[in-house]
Amino acid sequence: MRTHSMKSHSVNSRLPQTRSSSSHSEATGLISELIYSENQPGITQMLLPLLQQLGTQSRWQLWLTPQQKLSRSWLTRSGLPLDKVMQVQGPAINTLEAMIKALQTGNYSVVLGWLPDELAPEDRLRLHDAALSGQALGLIMRPDPVEIVASRPFNGLKIQSSLYH
């Protein structure tokens, strides 16, 4: 059984640079998909160093979570900047469209979006173009579909509870 995998699509393998950077290097943008196991929360520990590094940029981090609220105490314990983390939550948000709009603005160093299903190629391309436009990192978070089929019927996305109130 796999615990997680990563698919990356990028034009440049470096981390995104801030738009306000004085260098004239080529624009970067990256979309990465992380498939995680709901029973093994190791993906969080894998992401923390990246999120901490991005937290040093002047731009925000946007978390698009469908049902859960981020825990301020978890953010603090994890070394993530409270003053640079923004969350939009609720079942009414269209995560894909919100990710595309947020990535295009260039206001965010990273946009994390929880999506229940694999993206269509045209939606992946739209995300990729938006990340390039905003010179940002887009992280698509998806639960392992093998685990979902093998477990009880899936009626909502569960995110590691220690991250939320």
Side-chain angles (χ1 to χ4, degrees):
M1 176 185 292
R2 67 182 179 180
T3 57
H4 65 271
S5 66
M6 187 181 301
K7 299 177 186 176
S8 295
H9 305 278
S10 79
V11 169
N12 194 327
S13 62
R14 298 182 319 220
L15 284 175
Q17 298 176 349
T18 60
R19 292 179 67 124
S20 60
S21 172
S22 61
S23 71
H24 296 290
S25 63
E26 66 182 278
T28 60
L30 175 73
I31 294 297
S32 185
E33 181 173 13
L34 296 151
I35 299 173
Y36 63 92
S37 169
E38 292 181 356
N39 297 327
Q40 298 178 344
I43 193 85
T44 305
Q45 297 305 317
M46 189 175 87
L47 276 178
L48 275 177
L50 174 64
L51 295 174
Q52 290 165 342
Q53 180 184 359
L54 292 171
T56 64
Q57 292 187 5
S58 61
R59 299 188 293 169
W60 290 73
Q61 295 183 12
L62 178 62
W63 295 56
L64 299 168
T65 58
Q67 297 174 340
Q68 309 294 347
K69 184 169 172 35
L70 280 172
S71 165
R72 292 178 60 86
S73 63
W74 178 83
L75 288 168
T76 302
R77 284 191 319 271
S78 299
L80 297 176
L82 287 176
D83 60 339
K84 292 182 186 175
V85 173
M86 175 185 266
Q87 179 187 25
V88 177
Q89 69 154 137
I93 66 169
N94 180 326
T95 303
L96 174 65
E97 293 303 320
M99 283 185 78
I100 290 168
K101 288 178 183 177
L103 287 166
Q104 287 173 333
T105 67
N107 293 330
Y108 303 97
S109 58
V110 62
V111 176
L112 295 95
W114 275 258
L115 297 169
D117 301 310
E118 188 158 346
L119 290 174
E122 58 273 9
D123 290 334
R124 186 174 302 284
L125 181 60
R126 289 175 60 212
L127 275 171
H128 177 71
D129 290 345
L132 285 174
S133 175
Q135 299 180 13
L137 172 61
L139 292 176
I140 302 164
M141 308 294 291
R142 283 194 319 114
D144 186 348
V146 173
E147 239 180 61
I148 292 170
V149 171
S151 67
R152 62 179 165 69
F154 183 73
N155 63 356
L157 181 63
K158 285 175 40 182
I159 301 169
Q160 181 185 355
S161 63
S162 66
L163 302 179
Y164 303 94
H165 291 296

